[in-house]
Amino acid sequence: MFDSLEALSHRLDATGYFINPVMTQVIYLAARLQKPLLLEGPAGSGKTQLALSVAKAGNTHIERLQCYQGVTEAQAIGSFDSALQRLYLEFSKGQHTDWHSIQSGLAGREFFRPGPLMRALECERPCVLLIDELDKVDDGFEAMLLEILSAWQLSIPEFGTVKAKSIPFVVLTSNEERRLGDPIRRRSLYVRVEHPTPELESEIIASRTPDAETSFHREIAGIARSFRNYSLEKPPSVSEMIDFARALQLLGTNHVTEELRDVLLPFLAKTEKDRRHLMLREGFKSLLDDGERYARELAATEGSPS
Ligand SMILES: Nc1ncnc2c1ncn2[C@@H]1O[C@H](COP(=O)(O)OP(=O)(O)O)[C@@H](O)[C@H]1O
Ligand SMILES: [Mg+2]
């Protein structure tokens, strides 16, 4: 998918995904060694986006299995289309002479609707297989995946083993609602994804609000940091900070003041407890002060006027 580290780095850059050089190297190694990448970290820290960006950078498509409690193997692997099978039976009435021929007719590949796992293995050239929010499924489902990821094949009772035509670049993500099993951890390259550093976050914000000043981008990154250091139930993620920055632009301001607290709270407080916390006037004010301090520190390290 990527011939060199430089090519990956350059093409990932072009997708607008911001990443540190070490992480780029890990992605490159995972791609070359055909190892799944396991991204674990808080919601909104860019895990899903990374998989989408890698696909874009690799000029390939993405097969996405969105996990949730109760997702079935049939949804992941695929299942026979029973309506189509019934149609076939009606259409071919009288043509079958024995049970065996009916059975083998119905087990034809054309009646099987592949799910994302099977589609990924059947790709002629490697795609990105994103198995998103794996922490939402149970142990049994995880064990099934393990088999596919180690043997790169699927067993479907009706028509046997499907071997991979190409080995996908697998990205597993977890928001840590359940602890993933050790076997899947061992098989993968484990990457802890945290909220970005203020430097990186201000670049991300800059890319989404390019017409604003650098000082504005830094201020948002500083506020993000100060809110995450506060003990909130749901600290704001990058995507919330992007919305926050856009909201400020719409409000026609490039500086956050405490007067804007009530209109900005819906962007920053996502639970009643957090909202009440932030409604304490001194609480909000002191967070803004901290944010400004972080923004100044950022300006100092980046060596340009704040
Ligand atoms: N490193 C990054 N570079 C660019 N955008 C990012 C980055 N991290 C997060 N984002 C933005 O934040 C949004 C949420 O990220 P997402 O991948 O959905 O988070 P997660 O899957 O970890 O919950 C993305 O759509 C993207 O706009
Ligand atoms: Mg996600």
Side-chain angles (χ1 to χ4, degrees):
M1 206 175 278
F2 303 105
D3 298 333
S4 66
L5 179 60
E6 291 67 34
L8 167 65
S9 174
H10 183 70
R11 277 147 64 183
L12 210 50
D13 236 27
T15 69
Y17 192 82
F18 293 85
I19 194 170
N20 66 49
V22 171
M23 181 99 148
T24 312
Q25 289 184 61
V26 174
I27 295 171
Y28 177 69
L29 293 174
R32 294 306 297 261
L33 297 171
Q34 299 181 321
K35 285 277 193 188
L37 198 60
L38 168 55
L39 308 177
E40 194 170 66
S45 53
K47 303 181 295 297
T48 303
Q49 189 61 46
L50 175 59
L52 301 175
S53 302
V54 167
K56 207 165 163 196
N59 199 18
T60 187
H61 78 285
I62 190 152
E63 288 295 347
R64 177 173 183 170
L65 172 63
Q66 182 62 52
C67 297
Y68 55 87
Q69 217 177 16
V71 67
T72 62
E73 288 191 17
Q75 281 159 327
I77 296 171
S79 60
F80 280 92
D81 184 335
S82 55
L84 203 62
Q85 284 176 320
R86 266 198 304 280
L87 211 65
Y88 164 78
L89 282 181
E90 269 178 37
F91 195 70
S92 59
K93 236 178 214 162
Q95 288 175 24
H96 295 289
T97 50
D98 63 300
W99 176 241
H100 182 75
S101 90
I102 295 179
Q103 236 186 349
S104 59
L106 286 176
R109 179 66 181 79
E110 64 272 30
F111 295 117
F112 194 79
R113 295 277 164 265
L117 295 183
M118 182 139 159
R119 288 200 301 268
L121 295 195
E122 286 196 317
C123 279
E124 293 295 337
R125 54 185 285 264
C127 67
V128 170
L129 171 60
L130 166 63
I131 302 176
D132 212 10
E133 303 189 11
L134 185 57
D135 52 327
K136 303 268 193 311
V137 303
D138 60 24
D139 297 348
F141 193 92
E142 194 178 303
M144 178 277 291
L145 281 178
L146 207 57
E147 210 178 311
I148 298 170
L149 300 184
S150 18
W152 302 111
Q153 64 180 34
L154 276 166
S155 289
I156 294 164
E158 288 84 349
F159 53 83
T161 305
V162 178
K163 284 201 182 338
K165 288 186 183 155
S166 63
I167 296 183
F169 180 66
V170 180
V171 179
L172 308 159
T173 79
S174 163
N175 291 346
E176 299 181 288
E177 282 184 18
R178 175 184 68 89
R179 191 184 189 281
L180 301 186
D182 290 340
I184 208 137
R185 290 174 183 277
R186 272 199 299 273
R187 271 183 187 75
S188 314
L189 301 189
Y190 176 78
V191 176
R192 176 83 206 163
V193 184
E194 289 295 354
H195 294 299
T197 57
E199 288 84 352
L200 208 58
E201 190 147 15
S202 99
E203 282 188 67
I204 298 172
I205 303 290
S207 74
R208 303 307 170 97
T209 52
D211 41 342
E213 305 270 314
T214 307
S215 57
F216 174 76
H217 303 137
R218 287 179 182 147
E219 179 169 334
I220 305 296
I223 292 175
R225 179 164 206 188
S226 90
F227 274 71
R228 287 180 201 138
N229 283 350
Y230 198 51
S231 49
L232 292 173
E233 280 186 320
K234 296 267 174 237
S237 67
V238 180
S239 47
E240 280 143 316
M241 295 318 295
I242 294 170
D243 293 341
F244 179 76
R246 287 188 173 143
L248 287 168
Q249 285 202 308
L250 285 173
L251 291 171
T253 177
N254 54 12
H255 180 58
V256 188
T257 56
E258 37 176 332
E259 286 68 42
L260 291 170
R261 182 194 65 183
D262 293 354
V263 72
L264 294 178
L265 271 188
F267 293 87
L268 300 170
K270 299 300 171 102
T271 68
E272 173 52 11
K273 192 168 162 223
D274 288 348
R275 204 182 66 86
R276 265 191 280 122
H277 245 88
L278 295 174
M279 289 288 276
L280 302 170
R281 186 159 284 271
E282 270 317 296
F284 194 76
K285 166 107 179 43
S286 69
L287 285 175
L288 292 187
D289 291 346
D290 283 351
E292 270 185 45
R293 187 161 51 80
Y294 292 133
R296 276 198 303 276
E297 281 171 17
L298 181 55
T301 55
E302 289 184 339
S304 51
S306 54

